[in-house]
Amino acid sequence: MKPRVALVAGEASGDLLAGLLLQGMRGRWPDLTSFGIGGPAMEGQGFEAWWPSSKLAVRGYVEVLKHYREIIGIRTALRDRLLADPPDVFIGVDAPDFNLDLEADLKARGGKVVHFVCPSIWAWRGKRVEKIRRSCDHVLCIFPFEPELLAKHGIPATYVGHPLANVIPKEPDKDAARVRLGLPPDAEVVTLLPGSRVSEVASLAGRFLQAAELLQRARPQLHFVVPAVPGLRPRIEAAARTAGGLRNLRIVDGHSHAALAACDVALVASGTATLEAALFQRPMVIAYHMNWLTYALMQPRRLQPWIGLPNILCGEFVVPELLQANANPESLAAALLEWFEAPARMVAVREKFRTLHTLLERDTSQRAADAIEKVLSR
């Protein structure tokens, strides 16, 4: 069998997940061809990117409105191309605002559709479940409680585990990561992850670096690492200059996993990076700040008190979350300092994250390929 597979991954985290998925699928179908919207991780698996995933890396109602015409134009052009020459299966990787409408159009015309990563109907926008049922033949779930929830609404789904749990080692090698990043082996290190989107870096990088400068006043020997997404390093460097007075700062291109392995504590923008930090068993502070109108529109749709994946999965505030006005440099610095002053708390949270890692670790490639093969055989 030589399946032709169309995929859409809308940002850096989706590109990473899709790259891992393609790697597993190519093990099942060596002659597979894949195309659509994606990034470098997917291209490393032979994917033909008709548009780069960065075109879709926009979050929030107000932010999306600024790019609405371009995004709709891309979706229309992609839909027309796929309808004219249908793939054997379409796999939408996360990006539900873009993918679900596209999937509905393809399914209505007889296409086979799989959605990878269940939209967070358990966290907010629960009414979206009806759109999922119209749009997808099967959902690949990365969290264990999701298939049962979808089954209640008549949506076939398979728990495949989280691909990152197979990639990130259960025993991160801190020493090797520090050598790789040029960090002292015995230093206290804080990793700053202000996001992978332009809007996130614009809103959070300054706050994070100002918090780092305040934290360094309390602990002068601290070292800081900021992994920069390609193309966003100049913005981070500008934020560092504005923060001023920050010593022992390393801004690196990529290497986010090495930065998490190397650190003692992390300051992380809400999103997939918080789960990566948890899988590296790192204590963290989760922060987010967005356009005030976007936040006001989202708040009534929240179904849980947490926004960070580690807290959602553990069902409690295992790590602090500082949002909007609370995501100010003084509060961020204070929350980070609390970790350093409570070593027993750091040990306890690492144990919780080790348990979470075991829960999410499955043979994702095998399970996903099995589910996709069943969809292809229908």
Side-chain angles (χ1 to χ4, degrees):
M1 188 176 184
K2 300 179 180 180
R4 298 174 63 252
V5 182
L7 297 97
V8 169
E11 57 188 78
S13 61
D15 173 50
L16 176 61
L17 292 175
L20 295 170
L21 176 64
L22 279 171
Q23 185 177 27
M25 292 179 68
R26 291 183 68 83
R28 177 72 59 90
W29 300 290
D31 295 325
L32 170 149
T33 58
S34 58
F35 42 82
I37 299 177
M42 297 165 72
E43 290 177 323
Q45 297 299 321
F47 179 82
E48 181 185 350
W50 295 344
W51 290 272
S53 56
S54 58
K55 289 288 187 182
L56 309 185
V58 181
R59 173 178 285 186
Y61 298 110
V62 175
E63 294 80 2
V64 167
L65 285 174
K66 296 177 182 177
H67 301 273
Y68 181 78
R69 292 185 66 178
E70 181 183 18
I71 292 172
I72 291 300
I74 291 172
R75 187 167 65 192
T76 299
L78 176 61
R79 180 199 63 200
D80 292 347
R81 188 167 178 176
L82 294 178
L83 289 175
D85 185 16
D88 295 305
V89 64
F90 175 87
I91 304 175
V93 183
D94 209 1
D97 289 315
F98 184 94
N99 276 324
L100 289 177
D101 285 332
L102 174 62
E103 290 166 1
D105 288 343
L106 298 176
K107 186 180 178 185
R109 294 284 292 270
K112 296 176 179 179
V113 175
V114 173
H115 193 86
F116 184 29
V117 182
C118 177
S120 303
I121 54 175
W122 35 267
W124 71 300
R125 294 180 71 170
K127 293 181 180 179
R128 184 179 262 173
V129 70
E130 295 301 323
K131 178 177 280 190
I132 298 171
R133 181 162 52 194
R134 291 196 310 271
S135 303
C136 310
D137 294 302
H138 204 92
V139 178
L140 303 178
C141 300
I142 59 176
F143 299 129
F145 58 84
E146 293 172 328
E148 182 179 356
L149 177 61
L150 292 172
K152 292 177 180 178
H153 298 278
I155 301 170
T158 300
Y159 172 53
V160 300
H162 201 296
L164 289 173
N166 297 315
V167 173
I168 295 171
K170 283 190 174 179
E171 300 295 336
D173 192 335
K174 179 184 286 189
D175 292 338
R178 291 189 173 195
V179 169
R180 183 178 182 184
L181 296 175
L183 294 166
D186 55 350
E188 291 181 331
V189 177
V190 177
T191 288
L192 309 176
L193 292 165
S196 59
R197 302 177 179 90
V198 172
S199 60
E200 290 173 333
V201 170
S203 182
L204 293 173
R207 297 166 190 269
F208 281 22
L209 287 157
Q210 289 169 37
E213 196 274 332
L214 293 173
L215 185 59
Q216 194 171 64
R217 295 182 193 178
R219 302 179 82 87
Q221 302 308 312
L222 277 177
H223 285 249
F224 298 91
V225 179
V226 188
V229 172
L232 297 183
R233 179 168 181 153
R235 290 176 176 266
I236 293 172
E237 291 174 337
R241 288 193 296 271
T242 300
L246 188 58
R247 303 181 308 279
N248 300 330
L249 171 67
R250 292 185 64 80
I251 301 172
V252 297
D253 294 321
H255 298 301
S256 61
H257 283 191
L260 285 170
C263 75
D264 297 291
V265 177
L267 176 57
V268 191
S270 178
T272 301
T274 63
L275 182 60
E276 292 177 280
L279 292 172
F280 275 101
Q281 301 162 33
R282 296 303 182 245
M284 75 189 85
V285 174
I286 297 172
Y288 212 76
H289 188 278
M290 61 179 67
N291 178 280
W292 70 269
L293 180 57
T294 295
Y295 187 76
L297 291 170
M298 290 178 67
Q299 276 300 95
R301 302 186 180 194
R302 282 179 62 181
L303 303 178
Q304 298 196 44
W306 318 283
I307 67 160
L309 285 169
N311 290 335
I312 290 171
L313 292 169
C314 292
E316 59 179 305
F317 280 104
V318 177
V319 299
E321 298 181 358
L322 298 176
L323 312 177
Q324 295 302 96
N326 291 327
N328 60 75
E330 294 77 14
S331 297
L332 295 173
L336 289 166
L337 184 61
E338 286 180 8
W339 281 118
F340 286 107
E341 295 177 342
R345 182 177 166 222
M346 294 175 77
V347 172
V349 81
R350 288 191 188 107
E351 287 304 311
K352 283 183 178 289
F353 289 161
R354 184 186 296 270
T355 300
L356 180 60
H357 197 147
T358 300
L359 179 66
L360 298 178
E361 188 177 27
R362 297 291 184 273
D363 189 345
T364 301
S365 296
Q366 178 72 32
R367 289 183 174 216
D370 287 345
I372 292 168
E373 187 169 40
K374 290 178 181 178
V375 171
L376 285 169
S377 65
R378 292 174 187 167

